[in-house]
Coordinates of all heavy atoms in Angstrom, one line a residue:
S1 N 0.9 -12.2 -23.4 CA 0.8 -10.8 -23.0 C -0.3 -10.6 -22.0 O -0.2 -9.7 -21.2 CB 0.5 -10.0 -24.3 OG -0.7 -10.4 -24.8
N2 N -1.3 -11.5 -22.0 CA -2.4 -11.4 -21.0 C -1.8 -11.7 -19.6 O -2.1 -11.0 -18.7 CB -3.5 -12.3 -21.4 CG -4.7 -12.0 -20.6 OD1 -4.9 -11.0 -19.8 ND2 -5.7 -12.9 -20.6
I3 N -1.0 -12.7 -19.5 CA -0.3 -13.1 -18.3 C 0.6 -12.0 -17.8 O 0.7 -11.7 -16.6 CB 0.3 -14.4 -18.4 CG1 -0.7 -15.6 -18.5 CG2 1.2 -14.7 -17.2 CD1 -0.2 -17.0 -18.8
A4 N 1.4 -11.4 -18.8 CA 2.3 -10.3 -18.4 C 1.6 -9.1 -17.9 O 2.0 -8.5 -16.9 CB 3.2 -10.0 -19.7
L5 N 0.5 -8.8 -18.4 CA -0.4 -7.7 -17.9 C -0.9 -8.0 -16.6 O -0.9 -7.1 -15.7 CB -1.5 -7.4 -19.0 CG -2.4 -6.2 -18.6 CD1 -1.6 -5.0 -18.7 CD2 -3.6 -6.2 -19.6
R6 N -1.3 -9.2 -16.3 CA -1.9 -9.6 -15.0 C -0.8 -9.5 -14.0 O -0.9 -9.1 -12.8 CB -2.5 -11.0 -15.0 CG -3.8 -11.0 -15.7 CD -4.4 -12.3 -15.7 NE -5.6 -12.5 -16.4 CZ -6.4 -13.5 -16.5 NH1 -6.1 -14.6 -15.9 NH2 -7.5 -13.4 -17.3
L7 N 0.4 -9.9 -14.4 CA 1.6 -9.9 -13.5 C 2.0 -8.4 -13.2 O 2.3 -8.2 -12.0 CB 2.8 -10.6 -14.1 CG 4.0 -10.7 -13.2 CD1 3.7 -11.5 -12.0 CD2 5.2 -11.3 -13.9
L8 N 1.8 -7.6 -14.1 CA 2.0 -6.1 -13.8 C 1.0 -5.6 -12.8 O 1.3 -4.8 -11.9 CB 1.9 -5.3 -15.2 CG 2.1 -3.9 -15.1 CD1 3.5 -3.6 -14.6 CD2 1.8 -3.2 -16.3
W9 N -0.3 -6.1 -12.9 CA -1.3 -5.6 -12.0 C -1.0 -6.1 -10.6 O -1.3 -5.4 -9.6 CB -2.7 -6.1 -12.5 CG -3.3 -5.1 -13.5 CD1 -3.5 -5.4 -14.8 CD2 -3.7 -3.7 -13.3 NE1 -3.9 -4.2 -15.4 CE2 -4.2 -3.3 -14.5 CE3 -3.7 -2.9 -12.2 CZ2 -4.6 -2.0 -14.6 CZ3 -4.2 -1.6 -12.3 CH2 -4.6 -1.2 -13.5
V10 N -0.4 -7.3 -10.6 CA 0.0 -7.9 -9.2 C 1.0 -7.1 -8.6 O 0.9 -6.8 -7.4 CB 0.4 -9.3 -9.4 CG1 1.1 -9.9 -8.1 CG2 -0.7 -10.3 -9.7
I11 N 2.0 -6.7 -9.3 CA 3.1 -5.8 -8.8 C 2.5 -4.5 -8.4 O 2.9 -4.0 -7.3 CB 4.2 -5.7 -9.8 CG1 4.9 -7.0 -10.1 CG2 5.1 -4.6 -9.5 CD1 5.8 -7.1 -11.2
I12 N 1.7 -3.9 -9.1 CA 1.1 -2.6 -8.8 C 0.3 -2.7 -7.6 O 0.3 -1.9 -6.7 CB 0.2 -2.1 -10.0 CG1 1.1 -1.6 -11.1 CG2 -0.6 -0.9 -9.6 CD1 0.4 -1.2 -12.5
A13 N -0.6 -3.9 -7.4 CA -1.4 -4.0 -6.3 C -0.5 -4.2 -5.0 O -0.8 -3.7 -3.9 CB -2.3 -5.2 -6.4
S14 N 0.6 -4.9 -5.1 CA 1.5 -5.1 -4.1 C 2.1 -3.8 -3.5 O 2.2 -3.4 -2.4 CB 2.7 -6.1 -4.3 OG 2.0 -7.4 -4.5
V15 N 2.6 -3.0 -4.5 CA 3.2 -1.7 -4.1 C 2.2 -0.7 -3.6 O 2.4 -0.1 -2.6 CB 4.0 -1.2 -5.4 CG1 4.5 0.3 -5.1 CG2 5.2 -2.0 -5.7
G16 N 1.1 -0.8 -4.3 CA -0.1 0.1 -3.7 C -0.5 -0.3 -2.3 O -0.8 0.6 -1.5
G17 N -0.5 -1.5 -1.9 CA -0.8 -2.0 -0.6 C 0.2 -1.4 0.4 O -0.2 -1.0 1.5
W18 N 1.4 -1.4 0.0 CA 2.5 -0.9 1.0 C 2.3 0.6 1.1 O 2.4 1.1 2.2 CB 3.9 -1.3 0.5 CG 4.4 -2.4 1.1 CD1 4.7 -3.6 0.5 CD2 4.7 -2.7 2.5 NE1 5.1 -4.6 1.4 CE2 5.1 -4.0 2.7 CE3 4.6 -1.8 3.7 CZ2 5.5 -4.5 3.9 CZ3 4.9 -2.4 4.9 CH2 5.4 -3.7 5.0
L19 N 2.0 1.3 0.1 CA 1.8 2.7 0.1 C 0.6 3.1 1.0 O 0.6 4.0 1.8 CB 1.7 3.3 -1.3 CG 3.0 3.4 -2.1 CD1 2.7 3.9 -3.5 CD2 4.0 4.2 -1.4
L20 N -0.5 2.4 0.8 CA -1.6 2.6 1.6 C -1.4 2.3 3.1 O -1.8 3.1 4.0 CB -2.8 1.8 1.1 CG -4.1 2.0 1.7 CD1 -4.6 3.4 1.5 CD2 -5.1 1.0 1.2
Y21 N -0.6 1.3 3.3 CA -0.3 0.9 4.7 C 0.5 2.0 5.3 O 0.4 2.5 6.5 CB 0.4 -0.5 4.7 CG 1.2 -0.7 6.0 CD1 0.6 -1.0 7.2 CD2 2.6 -0.5 6.0 CE1 1.4 -1.1 8.4 CE2 3.4 -0.7 7.1 CZ 2.8 -1.0 8.3 OH 3.5 -1.2 9.4
L22 N 1.6 2.4 4.6 CA 2.5 3.5 5.2 C 1.7 4.8 5.4 O 1.9 5.4 6.5 CB 3.6 3.7 4.2 CG 4.6 2.6 4.0 CD1 5.6 2.9 2.9 CD2 5.4 2.3 5.3
I23 N 0.9 5.1 4.5 CA 0.0 6.4 4.7 C -0.8 6.2 5.9 O -1.0 7.1 6.8 CB -0.7 6.7 3.4 CG1 0.2 7.1 2.3 CG2 -1.8 7.8 3.7 CD1 -0.5 7.3 1.0
N24 N -1.5 5.1 6.0 CA -2.4 4.8 7.1 C -1.7 4.9 8.5 O -2.2 5.6 9.4 CB -3.1 3.5 6.9 CG -4.0 3.1 8.0 OD1 -4.7 3.9 8.6 ND2 -4.0 1.8 8.4
V25 N -0.6 4.2 8.6 CA 0.1 4.2 9.9 C 0.7 5.5 10.3 O 0.6 6.0 11.4 CB 1.2 3.1 9.9 CG1 2.1 3.2 11.1 CG2 0.6 1.7 9.9
N26 N 1.2 6.2 9.3 CA 1.8 7.6 9.6 C 0.8 8.5 9.9 O 1.0 9.5 10.8 CB 2.6 8.1 8.3 CG 4.0 7.4 8.3 OD1 4.6 7.2 9.3 ND2 4.4 7.1 7.1
L27 N -0.5 8.4 9.3 CA -1.6 9.3 9.8 C -2.1 9.0 11.2 O -2.4 9.9 11.9 CB -2.8 9.2 8.8 CG -2.6 9.9 7.5 CD1 -3.8 9.6 6.6 CD2 -2.5 11.4 7.8
M28 N -2.0 7.7 11.5 CA -2.4 7.3 12.9 C -1.4 7.8 13.9 O -1.7 8.2 15.0 CB -2.5 5.8 13.0 CG -3.8 5.3 12.4 SD -4.2 3.6 12.8 CE -3.0 2.7 11.8
I29 N -0.1 7.8 13.6 CA 0.9 8.4 14.4 C 0.8 9.9 14.6 O 0.8 10.4 15.6 CB 2.4 8.0 14.0 CG1 2.6 6.5 14.1 CG2 3.5 8.7 14.8 CD1 3.8 5.9 13.5
Y30 N 0.5 10.5 13.4 CA 0.4 11.9 13.4 C -0.8 12.4 14.2 O -0.7 13.5 14.9 CB 0.3 12.5 11.9 CG 0.2 14.0 11.7 CD1 1.2 14.8 12.1 CD2 -1.1 14.5 11.5 CE1 1.0 16.1 11.9 CE2 -1.2 15.9 11.3 CZ -0.2 16.7 11.6 OH -0.3 18.0 11.5
T31 N -1.9 11.7 14.1 CA -3.1 12.1 14.9 C -3.1 11.7 16.3 O -3.9 12.0 17.0 CB -4.4 11.6 14.1 OG1 -4.3 10.2 14.0 CG2 -4.6 12.2 12.7
G32 N -2.1 10.9 16.7 CA -2.1 10.5 18.1 C -2.8 9.2 18.4 O -2.9 8.8 19.5
F33 N -3.4 8.6 17.3 CA -4.1 7.3 17.5 C -3.2 6.2 17.9 O -3.6 5.3 18.6 CB -4.9 7.1 16.2 CG -5.9 6.0 16.3 CD1 -7.0 6.1 17.1 CD2 -5.8 4.8 15.7 CE1 -8.0 5.1 17.2 CE2 -6.7 3.7 15.8 CZ -7.8 3.9 16.6
F34 N -2.0 6.3 17.3 CA -1.0 5.2 17.6 C 0.1 6.1 18.3 O 0.8 6.9 17.7 CB -0.4 4.6 16.4 CG 0.5 3.5 16.5 CD1 0.4 2.6 17.5 CD2 1.5 3.2 15.6 CE1 1.3 1.6 17.8 CE2 2.4 2.2 15.8 CZ 2.2 1.3 16.9
A35 N 0.3 5.9 19.6 CA 1.1 6.8 20.4 C 2.6 6.6 20.0 O 3.1 5.5 19.7 CB 1.0 6.3 21.9
G36 N 3.3 7.7 20.0 CA 4.7 7.8 19.6 C 5.5 7.0 20.6 O 6.6 6.5 20.2

């Protein structure tokens, strides 16, 4: 159960990383930092 809980945290971290990346890039496009 400890390994299963750690695996769940790995999945959450991976999905959270993508969400943070998507928010970051879209904010850079919106603010004009990354040209359209």
Side-chain angles (χ1 to χ4, degrees):
S1 65
N2 193 9
I3 290 175
L5 184 63
R6 288 182 185 183
L7 185 62
L8 179 66
W9 279 111
V10 168
I11 293 169
I12 290 172
S14 294
V15 172
W18 266 113
L19 289 175
L20 185 63
Y21 160 74
L22 291 173
I23 290 169
N24 180 35
V25 170
N26 283 319
L27 282 176
M28 285 192 285
I29 292 170
Y30 179 73
T31 58
F33 191 68
F34 188 36

